[in-house]
Amino acid sequence: MAGLEPKETGWKPIPLALKILAVVMALWMIGSLVNLPYLMANGLPLLGVFIYGPAALPVVLFLDIAGPLIFLYGLWTRKAWAVGWAFFYIGLFILNSAVALVTLRAQLGLGQILAPAIVSALFLAVIFWKRDYFTAGGPAGT
């Protein structure tokens, strides 16, 4: 029956826009790991407050490392839940930016808040645009 064949997984069937997103996410993760000592020493915003030291580690690990890795696994294996996961964890990132915009703009500056939020919104737009790739009968290379 048409549409019941197993979906091809791996790098090859991923649409170009999602491949670009995957590379950018990988670079984002590497940048977060390199920047981790700075964030732990100088703090990072979490829902309107700065957290420092070891408390910053789980936030970076979840939002910048585990979140993208889980999504990339879902992308690689064409899991339908990957879209929902991306909206959840990137949505948390955008929510954190929105709260920082209101509460910490004077300390962080507009650019440091808006740049990651805009990039995250673009990530979500690409994922939403190519969401049919993850569905059971979704086209492989579109």
Side-chain angles (χ1 to χ4, degrees), residues 2-8 78-81 131-140:
L4 295 179
E5 304 86 26
K7 298 179 286 185
E8 185 179 358
R78 296 182 81 165
K79 301 294 185 191
W81 53 257
R131 69 191 178 279
D132 62 338
Y133 166 78
F134 298 93
T135 59

Side-chain angles (χ1 to χ4, degrees), residues 61-110:
L61 289 177
F62 178 74
L63 287 179
D64 292 340
I65 308 300
L69 279 176
I70 293 168
F71 172 74
L72 291 174
Y73 169 77
L75 173 66
W76 188 269
T77 58
R78 296 182 81 165
K79 301 294 185 191
W81 53 257
V83 174
W85 173 254
F87 271 78
F88 170 73
Y89 96 85
I90 296 173
L92 285 176
F93 197 90
I94 292 171
L95 173 66
N96 189 42
S97 295
V99 171
L101 184 63
V102 173
T103 60
L104 301 171
R105 184 175 52 218
Q107 291 169 282
L108 291 173
L110 198 55

Side-chain angles (χ1 to χ4, degrees), residues 2-142:
L4 295 179
E5 304 86 26
K7 298 179 286 185
E8 185 179 358
T9 60
W11 184 253
K12 188 176 178 183
I14 298 174
L16 179 61
L18 290 174
K19 285 180 180 178
I20 292 168
L21 179 67
V23 170
V24 172
M25 282 183 160
L27 292 173
W28 187 297
M29 287 186 290
I30 292 167
S32 294
L33 287 174
V34 170
N35 197 35
L36 185 58
Y38 174 83
L39 292 172
M40 291 177 72
N42 296 308
L44 63 96
L46 180 63
L47 300 175
V49 297
F50 271 94
I51 58 172
Y52 300 89
L57 181 62
V59 175
V60 172
L61 289 177
F62 178 74
L63 287 179
D64 292 340
I65 308 300
L69 279 176
I70 293 168
F71 172 74
L72 291 174
Y73 169 77
L75 173 66
W76 188 269
T77 58
R78 296 182 81 165
K79 301 294 185 191
W81 53 257
V83 174
W85 173 254
F87 271 78
F88 170 73
Y89 96 85
I90 296 173
L92 285 176
F93 197 90
I94 292 171
L95 173 66
N96 189 42
S97 295
V99 171
L101 184 63
V102 173
T103 60
L104 301 171
R105 184 175 52 218
Q107 291 169 282
L108 291 173
L110 198 55
Q112 273 189 289
I113 297 170
L114 287 182
I118 290 169
V119 169
S120 296
L122 289 173
F123 284 5
L124 285 181
V126 169
I127 293 166
F128 183 77
W129 172 42
K130 294 297 184 178
R131 69 191 178 279
D132 62 338
Y133 166 78
F134 298 93
T135 59
T142 59

